[in-house]
Amino acid sequence: PRAILDMSYSRHFLDFQGSSIPSSMKKLVVTKLSQNFREAVTLRQDSPVPLPGDGDLLVRNRFVGVNASDINYSAGRYDTSVKPPFDIGFEGVGDVVALGLSASADYTVGQAVAYVKAGSFAEYTVVPAKQAVPLPSVKPEFLTLMVSGTTAYISLKELGDLSEGKKVLVTAAAGGTGQFAVQLAKKAKCHVIGTCSSDEKGGFLKSIGCDRTINYKTENVESVLRKDYPEGMDVVYESVGGKMFDLALNCLVTKGRLIVIGFIAGYQNPTGLQPIKAELLPAKLLKKSASIRGFFLNHYLSEYKMALEHLLKMYERGDLVCEVDFGDLSPEGKFTGLESVFRAVDYMYMGKNIGKIVVELPHSVNSKL
């Protein structure tokens, strides 16, 4: 007998179980390529809510993460072939509110999930079930691990060669990914130095185990490193770029490693990168047998699942602090609703955040879910 697959049956899964899913939603769309996020991105009020296909979940986003690279994406730097309009936002946490037939083998309506996929700055996002991560509950802390935590974990594991007693410098240490680089280097029994821009951030860094904090607004980073660590750094986890990159390069020990995970100082420049004094780079690397490695998470997706599982277990055991910054201390208060993503991006580039910037998308949660 021939197996009959009647796809119209999947409508059953799209009936949303009376959860009053609207037909339209708000979402952010890149309508013009620009490194100025407010110029590049438009808030659309009445986009159709997408329907999940057979292997998909429809996720109602409750928390979305803001990343420094959102600006690179809206400027068209990541994929020059993509032309506006296109969706933006890389990661979200929310509830499954509808799903396709195949996806129902592993997921149910009401389940909490996280995901990494372009298009999270929306009230609803379709996520392939294979890419979703089931969660015990909808918590913003889980969002900190999806991009920021895994970036720190995989880059240090694959490129850092960490071991007991090594000296590790983390730049922008109190940021979304810096907080994990500090904690993971400490767990490897390294001596960790973190740069930051305020005493409040320094206090947070000490609370998660940082051995020495350097407030670059009040201290000269180069002088502190030369005085307190004349022998240099074994590993630098670098995300600032410009002058900080030069400084990081100069403070490496023999066989030292510089891991570049970003260059936030250059993201808002029309030209992108801030110039570095790279003409001496071959000589500097040769003199120290030092290495510079770039790290882009998309190139390490084979390691992603293992890294995320490990981090989730650490968090659930209480071995990892996942600091979330909702912008409560920002001038206009907490980041709530998609319209506040613009403020959240500004807040990050002003260097105000401690931990991962997260925007909450409030919903009137239906009792049937």
Side-chain angles (χ1 to χ4, degrees), residues 27 43-44 73 118 168 179-180 186 229 239 243 268 274 281 283 291 313-314 326 328 341:
K27 73 171 179 177
L43 174 62
R44 295 244 165 106
Y73 200 56
V168 178
Q179 64 171 329
F180 296 111
K186 280 306 294 177
Y229 302 98
S239 60
K243 291 185 176 121
Q268 285 185 309
Q274 282 195 333
L281 192 57
S291 65
K313 281 187 191 132
M314 285 174 74
F326 278 119
D328 294 296
V341 169

Side-chain angles (χ1 to χ4, degrees), residues 146-185:
M146 299 300 294
V147 171
S148 302
T150 53
T151 293
Y153 184 93
I154 300 170
S155 64
L156 289 173
K157 177 175 174 286
E158 296 292 317
L159 311 176
D161 193 25
L162 300 184
S163 58
E164 186 169 354
K166 286 201 171 170
K167 292 182 178 61
V168 178
L169 174 66
V170 180
T171 64
T177 186
Q179 64 171 329
F180 296 111
V182 168
Q183 294 178 78
L184 294 168

Side-chain angles (χ1 to χ4, degrees), residues 79 108 341:
D79 185 351
T108 57
V341 169

Side-chain angles (χ1 to χ4, degrees), residues 136-152:
S137 60
V138 174
K139 281 173 78 170
E141 284 78 8
F142 292 125
L143 198 52
T144 67
L145 301 174
M146 299 300 294
V147 171
S148 302
T150 53
T151 293

Side-chain angles (χ1 to χ4, degrees), residues 30-201:
V30 177
T31 49
K32 171 190 168 189
L33 296 183
S34 169
Q35 74 287 338
N36 180 325
F37 192 82
R38 287 178 182 270
E39 275 181 19
V41 179
T42 303
L43 174 62
R44 295 244 165 106
Q45 300 280 355
D46 53 357
S47 296
V49 171
L51 286 180
D54 178 53
D56 296 333
L57 312 173
L58 180 64
V59 178
R60 180 175 61 190
N61 293 315
R62 298 268 296 281
F63 300 102
V64 293
V66 172
N67 291 282
S69 42
D70 290 326
I71 280 191
N72 283 338
Y73 200 56
S74 67
R77 287 187 188 132
Y78 277 166
D79 185 351
T80 47
S81 66
V82 180
K83 299 287 179 269
F86 55 88
D87 296 347
I88 190 164
F90 291 131
E91 53 186 345
V93 167
D95 314 286
V96 175
V97 288
L99 66 173
L101 189 56
S102 302
S104 69
D106 298 304
Y107 288 92
T108 57
V109 165
Q111 191 161 357
V113 292
Y115 64 89
V116 175
K117 177 183 179 281
S120 70
F121 290 164
E123 291 179 313
Y124 296 86
T125 303
V126 166
V127 179
K130 290 198 291 260
Q131 289 178 25
V133 178
L135 297 174
S137 60
V138 174
K139 281 173 78 170
E141 284 78 8
F142 292 125
L143 198 52
T144 67
L145 301 174
M146 299 300 294
V147 171
S148 302
T150 53
T151 293
Y153 184 93
I154 300 170
S155 64
L156 289 173
K157 177 175 174 286
E158 296 292 317
L159 311 176
D161 193 25
L162 300 184
S163 58
E164 186 169 354
K166 286 201 171 170
K167 292 182 178 61
V168 178
L169 174 66
V170 180
T171 64
T177 186
Q179 64 171 329
F180 296 111
V182 168
Q183 294 178 78
L184 294 168
K186 280 306 294 177
K187 290 197 185 309
K189 299 185 174 163
C190 298
H191 180 94
V192 182
I193 301 98
T195 70
C196 61
S197 60
S198 72
D199 291 342
E200 189 191 0
K201 290 183 179 189

Side-chain angles (χ1 to χ4, degrees), residues 54-365:
D54 178 53
D56 296 333
L57 312 173
L58 180 64
V59 178
R60 180 175 61 190
N61 293 315
R62 298 268 296 281
F63 300 102
V64 293
V66 172
N67 291 282
S69 42
D70 290 326
I71 280 191
N72 283 338
Y73 200 56
S74 67
R77 287 187 188 132
Y78 277 166
D79 185 351
T80 47
S81 66
V82 180
K83 299 287 179 269
F86 55 88
D87 296 347
I88 190 164
F90 291 131
E91 53 186 345
V93 167
D95 314 286
V96 175
V97 288
L99 66 173
L101 189 56
S102 302
S104 69
D106 298 304
Y107 288 92
T108 57
V109 165
Q111 191 161 357
V113 292
Y115 64 89
V116 175
K117 177 183 179 281
S120 70
F121 290 164
E123 291 179 313
Y124 296 86
T125 303
V126 166
V127 179
K130 290 198 291 260
Q131 289 178 25
V133 178
L135 297 174
S137 60
V138 174
K139 281 173 78 170
E141 284 78 8
F142 292 125
L143 198 52
T144 67
L145 301 174
M146 299 300 294
V147 171
S148 302
T150 53
T151 293
Y153 184 93
I154 300 170
S155 64
L156 289 173
K157 177 175 174 286
E158 296 292 317
L159 311 176
D161 193 25
L162 300 184
S163 58
E164 186 169 354
K166 286 201 171 170
K167 292 182 178 61
V168 178
L169 174 66
V170 180
T171 64
T177 186
Q179 64 171 329
F180 296 111
V182 168
Q183 294 178 78
L184 294 168
K186 280 306 294 177
K187 290 197 185 309
K189 299 185 174 163
C190 298
H191 180 94
V192 182
I193 301 98
T195 70
C196 61
S197 60
S198 72
D199 291 342
E200 189 191 0
K201 290 183 179 189
F204 165 68
L205 288 173
K206 289 202 174 86
S207 77
I208 59 170
C210 201
D211 295 288
R212 172 72 159 94
T213 61
I214 307 173
N215 177 350
Y216 63 80
K217 294 274 176 78
T218 57
E219 297 178 272
N220 181 300
V221 181
E222 197 171 2
S223 307
V224 171
L225 291 176
R226 199 176 288 140
K227 177 172 162 288
D228 294 356
Y229 302 98
E231 66 286 7
M233 294 292 130
D234 297 288
V235 178
V236 182
Y237 183 88
E238 216 296 272
S239 60
V240 176
K243 291 185 176 121
M244 190 63 87
F245 174 89
D246 287 324
L247 196 150
L249 177 66
N250 291 338
C251 76
L252 287 176
V253 300
T254 300
K255 297 186 184 174
R257 296 156 176 264
L258 172 54
I259 304 171
V260 176
I261 64 123
F263 38 92
I264 192 168
Y267 290 175
Q268 285 185 309
N269 290 0
T271 51
L273 273 169
Q274 282 195 333
I276 54 168
K277 294 175 181 152
E279 58 273 14
L280 298 173
L281 192 57
K284 286 180 178 178
L285 294 178
L286 179 65
K287 185 179 166 190
K288 295 179 174 178
S289 295
S291 65
I292 299 175
R293 296 288 298 271
F295 178 86
F296 187 46
L297 186 59
N298 291 12
H299 299 149
Y300 287 84
L301 294 180
S302 58
E303 306 288 311
Y304 183 82
K305 192 163 179 275
M306 170 278 301
L308 187 59
E309 281 172 5
H310 192 93
L311 290 165
L312 284 166
K313 281 187 191 132
M314 285 174 74
Y315 172 66
E316 283 165 7
R317 282 199 310 263
D319 287 346
L320 198 63
V321 173
C322 297
E323 189 70 17
V324 172
D325 191 333
F326 278 119
D328 294 296
L329 299 175
S330 69
E332 292 167 59
K334 188 174 174 179
F335 302 135
T336 306
L338 284 171
E339 47 284 344
S340 70
V341 169
F342 298 97
R343 284 201 299 121
V345 169
D346 289 344
Y347 181 77
M348 173 170 47
Y349 279 93
M350 288 188 287
K352 301 289 189 195
N353 58 300
I354 295 181
K356 174 88 182 178
I357 298 179
V358 173
V359 175
E360 183 171 5
L361 305 186
H363 288 275
S364 49
V365 177

